[in-house]
Amino acid sequence: MKCHYIYTEDGLKVLIPGCWSVVMSGDIRDCTCRDETFAAFESERYNKTVKALRKQVKDLEQENIQQNRIIKNLLKKLRKKQ
Ligand SMILES: [Zn+2]
């Protein structure tokens, strides 16, 4: 289970650590617990894949621009020769 707080009957907020970082520091901001649900895991994997694909699209668009430039220059040279 991830680090979380519970409330005692007296209304006291008590930190329940789920990872060693928080056990050592007592500060939930140091939490290194990972989401363990399948949905969370899938979501993380999905986001990584989308990010990678977006980068690929960007790279391909860049390559497309460069190749269009080359074609344009080649066409110019061809026209000059005619
Ligand atoms: Zn934790």
Side-chain angles (χ1 to χ4, degrees):
M1 190 177 275
K2 291 173 69 176
C3 298
H4 62 284
Y5 287 103
I6 57 163
Y7 291 88
T8 64
E9 284 175 12
D10 312 333
L12 277 174
K13 197 176 174 185
V14 179
L15 175 61
I16 307 296
C19 58
W20 278 110
S21 313
V22 174
V23 169
M24 303 303 270
S25 74
D27 189 337
I28 201 163
R29 286 174 297 184
D30 296 328
C31 180
T32 55
C33 294
R34 290 184 57 96
D35 288 324
E36 287 159 354
T37 65
F38 183 70
F41 172 74
E42 279 297 284
S43 167
E44 191 184 324
R45 229 176 55 170
Y46 171 83
N47 287 335
K48 266 187 194 162
T49 304
V50 167
K51 198 176 170 188
L53 287 173
R54 281 202 178 127
K55 192 193 177 308
Q56 205 177 346
V57 167
K58 215 175 173 185
D59 290 348
L60 286 171
E61 282 174 348
Q62 198 58 42
E63 196 180 316
N64 193 21
I65 288 170
Q66 286 169 349
Q67 289 179 343
N68 277 337
R69 215 172 277 157
I70 292 170
I71 291 170
K72 202 174 156 188
N73 284 337
L74 285 173
L75 284 174
K76 248 188 221 172
K77 282 182 188 167
L78 263 177
R79 280 194 199 110
K80 278 183 188 170
K81 282 184 182 172
Q82 286 174 343

